Amino acid sequence: MRIVLLGAPGAGKGTQAKIISNKFNIPHISTGDILRHEIKGESELGKKAAEFVESGKLVPDEIIVEIIKNRISSGGLNNGFLMDGFPRNLSQARMFSDMLGELGIKLDRVINIVVNESEIISRLSRRITCSVCKSIFSVNNSHRNLEKCPNCNGDLIKRKDDDLKVIKHRLEIYESETRPVTDFYADKGLLVNVDGCGEEKEITKRILEVL
Ligand code: AMP
């Protein structure tokens, strides 16, 4: 199964990507997670990417292309893959199409998780993430005092780009740069919109129904 998961920041891509990739036993490829890993390790790539990620701007395409090429050439994708956070603009989408075409691979589905803006702002302002297993939690009554991840005991962190000003900037960039990618895949007959509001399990069920 070869899947691309689209949606605004905070639509629930990361949470659903983990569940769906486990279910189909396919690698979950998150360009955001790869970038945060490189930034934490202070690699050359991480140093180039840091200012973009932290201010909510898109990282230049050449860095993203390098990440995707490296990930594809490292293998393990015979069963398929689930792309989360890539492609993020039209030039990445075209480049990815060309890359898959050269490898003789076709995408099966592009899922667009749809959530309204006020819900997104509320979710991202409350989001905390495990720095180790990448599980995502919300600071609500049951998770208010969490410091360690209940799944792996890793440190829970608030992402720098989950600050309100940066969230608003990321949403603007989503509208101008990433929304056209949904049209690109709709024209290819691959896009399915899925309502991203409601319980996590309910949203997973909606996604599985269209896969
Ligand atoms: P995400 O974890 O998908 O929300 O991504 C976090 C940040 O990483 C984004 O706001 C961008 O700065 C950067 N990023 C992730 N994926 C991409 C991509 N495909 N193209 C450009 N920048 C990206």
Side-chain angles (χ1 to χ4, degrees):
M1 185 69 83
R2 297 178 183 101
I3 308 166
V4 169
L5 208 51
L6 297 177
K13 297 188 298 296
T15 302
Q16 294 299 330
K18 255 174 162 287
I19 300 170
I20 305 290
S21 59
N22 280 337
K23 183 152 186 79
F24 289 99
N25 193 23
I26 50 177
H28 166 201
I29 303 176
S30 158
T31 41
D33 282 348
I34 296 171
L35 288 164
R36 282 183 287 277
H37 176 79
E38 297 287 335
I39 292 169
K40 200 172 169 197
E42 296 183 358
S43 68
E44 278 312 305
L45 193 151
K47 284 180 197 159
K48 282 189 220 159
E51 60 164 295
F52 297 96
V53 174
E54 283 160 17
S55 61
K57 295 195 178 83
L58 289 189
V59 170
D61 288 344
E62 57 270 22
I63 296 181
I64 300 296
V65 171
E66 192 185 326
I67 288 176
I68 294 296
K69 282 196 171 148
N70 287 344
R71 183 59 191 85
I72 287 182
S73 61
S74 69
L77 305 182
N78 290 346
N79 233 358
F81 53 75
L82 190 156
M83 289 291 173
D84 161 13
F86 172 86
R88 208 63 161 239
N89 60 24
L90 272 182
S91 76
Q92 291 180 13
R94 293 195 185 106
M95 180 279 294
F96 190 44
S97 262
D98 292 348
M99 204 186 275
L100 294 179
E102 280 164 25
L103 294 167
I105 291 174
K106 283 201 165 93
L107 290 175
D108 293 298
R109 270 279 179 279
V110 177
I111 306 285
N112 182 34
I113 306 182
V114 183
V115 176
N116 66 57
E117 191 171 311
S118 59
E119 170 73 13
I120 282 174
I121 293 177
S122 151
R123 283 185 191 180
L124 290 182
S125 316
R126 289 183 285 124
R127 177 164 78 174
I128 44 175
T129 309
C130 174
S131 56
V132 179
C133 74
K134 314 296 175 210
S135 294
I136 297 163
F137 303 95
S138 175
V139 183
N140 54 26
N141 289 338
S142 53
H143 290 133
R144 188 171 297 284
N145 297 319
L146 274 187
E147 283 176 11
K148 294 285 180 186
C149 173
N151 298 336
C152 76
N153 209 35
D155 288 333
L156 293 176
I157 50 159
K158 184 161 174 65
R159 282 172 42 174
K160 280 191 184 163
D161 57 350
D162 280 345
D163 158 87
L164 187 58
K165 222 170 128 193
V166 182
I167 292 171
K168 290 195 168 157
H169 186 50
R170 287 162 67 203
L171 288 172
E172 280 165 20
I173 290 188
Y174 172 77
E175 283 303 327
S176 60
E177 300 272 325
T178 312
R179 195 177 288 286
V181 176
T182 57
D183 299 332
F184 176 87
Y185 285 121
D187 288 347
K188 290 182 181 290
L190 289 170
L191 188 86
V192 183
N193 289 312
V194 169
D195 177 6
C197 286
E199 294 282 319
E200 191 178 297
K201 280 196 178 132
E202 183 54 38
I203 299 162
T204 306
K205 197 168 148 233
R206 288 177 204 146
I207 295 176
L208 291 175
E209 274 166 11
V210 298
L211 282 177

